Amino acid sequence: MVKPFDELPGIVSVVSGYTGGRTANPTYEEVGTETTGHVEAVQITFEPEQFPYERLLDIYWQLIDPTDAGGQFMDRGYSYRTAIFVHSEEQRGQAEASRAALRASKRFKAPIVTEILPAGPFYSAEALHQDYYKTHPLDYKLYLKGSGREEFLERYWNSREDQKRLKSRLTRLQYEVTQHKATEPPYENEF
């Protein structure tokens, strides 16, 4: 969940941790026992003028299975359920509108079960769990493939309609570079 947000302009920090439960300063092992009430989460600090909250929501929906109340992909249990933790009524309104738009899109046949909850105390995870995709790149890639996450995201977020929409928003060169790993000709672009 960290990698897609990390290093984007306007993102100040992305911290892995736990929230939503009753135990103060839980450990990974404690959260995994399903007795703390916490979920694994990321806390994202961002500059709203540069990276609007709506964009955070758009990216978030594309990283999860919002129809699975029992966890995410091969990670099962209460501590792996999806939720959006909001810090204000404005965020709540935006999150609810975003969820309603996803429901209305009919992208998923099953009901959207992702909850929108008030943010409470957030506890940073242990160092081993911070920037995991950087510190354990092979394990991270194997998880993405083996868990079914990659296949799920491809099936639900890279449809013909999605590709058509992208093609209409991007120039031909932008589309080829971002979608097919093409390269831009030197000295012939705006950068």
Side-chain angles (χ1 to χ4, degrees), residues 4-165:
F5 294 102
D6 207 15
E7 300 175 7
L8 289 173
I11 299 295
V12 177
S13 67
V14 184
V15 179
S16 297
Y18 321 108
T19 193
R22 2 174 227 293
T23 306
N25 299 308
T27 65
Y28 177 79
E29 287 76 22
E30 290 170 337
V31 172
T33 66
E34 304 292 335
T35 61
T36 66
H38 286 290
V39 295
E40 288 192 16
V42 293
Q43 184 175 57
I44 301 172
T45 305
F46 62 101
E47 298 289 341
E49 312 78 43
Q50 195 173 5
F51 201 98
Y53 185 64
E54 293 91 345
R55 185 161 177 221
L56 281 177
L57 294 167
D58 288 344
I59 293 171
Y60 175 74
W61 292 122
Q62 295 179 46
L63 298 174
I64 65 166
D65 177 353
T67 67
D68 188 348
Q72 286 296 287
F73 308 102
M74 67 188 231
D75 293 321
R76 309 309 303 158
Y78 184 82
S79 62
Y80 290 107
R81 76 190 196 283
T82 60
I84 298 171
F85 293 92
V86 296
H87 294 269
S88 67
E89 285 305 310
E90 180 182 5
Q91 282 187 354
R92 176 178 293 286
Q94 291 171 326
E96 287 175 353
S98 179
R99 183 176 61 186
L102 183 61
R103 283 180 176 146
S105 77
K106 305 278 191 228
R107 185 177 292 270
F108 298 97
K109 289 181 173 62
I112 305 298
V113 297
T114 300
E115 296 178 275
I116 298 170
L117 303 168
F122 178 86
Y123 302 99
S124 294
E126 299 82 348
L128 169 69
H129 302 288
Q130 302 303 329
D131 298 317
Y132 193 82
Y133 78 96
K134 290 180 183 176
T135 60
H136 298 80
L138 181 58
D139 292 340
Y140 180 77
K141 288 176 186 170
L142 288 172
Y143 165 78
L144 282 179
K145 186 128 186 96
S147 69
R149 183 182 291 264
E150 238 180 27
E151 181 184 318
F152 176 87
L153 299 178
E154 185 71 22
R155 182 175 50 216
Y156 286 98
W157 293 100
N158 199 15
S159 68
R160 285 191 186 124
E161 293 81 26
D162 294 321
Q163 290 301 312
K164 199 176 190 181
R165 199 171 16 258

Side-chain angles (χ1 to χ4, degrees), residues 166-167 169-182 184 190-191:
L166 262 180
K167 281 182 178 180
R169 291 174 48 196
L170 302 174
T171 66
R172 184 169 183 257
L173 180 60
Q174 289 170 332
Y175 181 81
E176 291 301 319
V177 168
T178 61
Q179 302 304 303
H180 298 130
K181 299 181 182 177
E184 297 176 278
E190 58 185 292
F191 302 106

